[in-house]
Amino acid sequence: MLTKYIIAYIIIINIITYIAYAYDKHQAKRHKWRVRESTLLFLALAMGSIGALAAMYTTRHKTKHKKFTVGVPLLLILNIMMLVFLVYIIP
């Protein structure tokens, strides 16, 4: 039962993360208010790394910044480890 909630959370946080990255790209093109990098990285840390990677490569956003090109894949690995811990270790 806990697994259903975890899956729902992961889907929702990845959608939110994708939208945040795409919105930041949209704002960057128009030289308007942007989403903080710390917010974008926090969303990836909060289990949204798949959405972050998807947005980075579909919108070509933050793909030249090592903080993102190295950090987000590392956060994906951390997210997978956290997921394994939540699903297999804690129940």
Side-chain angles (χ1 to χ4, degrees):
M1 185 161 169
L2 179 63
T3 306
K4 289 181 188 179
Y5 293 113
I6 292 170
I7 291 170
Y9 171 78
I10 290 172
I11 291 169
I12 291 167
I13 194 66
N14 278 286
I15 291 169
I16 291 168
T17 303
Y18 184 94
I19 290 169
Y21 275 71
Y23 175 76
D24 188 54
K25 174 65 173 194
H26 175 77
Q27 292 296 84
K29 286 182 177 180
R30 284 153 186 74
H31 304 288
K32 294 194 175 186
W33 177 86
R34 306 273 305 275
V35 179
R36 291 180 181 180
E37 286 187 351
S38 60
T39 301
L40 295 174
L41 289 169
F42 175 76
L43 288 168
L45 173 66
M47 302 296 277
S49 56
I50 293 171
L53 283 171
M56 284 173 60
Y57 291 102
T58 59
T59 66
R60 295 184 185 186
H61 190 48
K62 301 289 187 189
T63 56
K64 293 183 181 179
H65 301 276
K66 284 199 183 232
K67 187 186 301 185
F68 288 88
T69 58
V70 174
V72 174
L74 288 175
L75 289 173
L76 175 61
I77 293 167
L78 180 63
N79 285 177
I80 292 168
M81 291 169 51
M82 290 183 337
L83 183 61
V84 168
F85 182 75
L86 286 172
V87 173
Y88 295 107
I89 308 297
I90 289 186

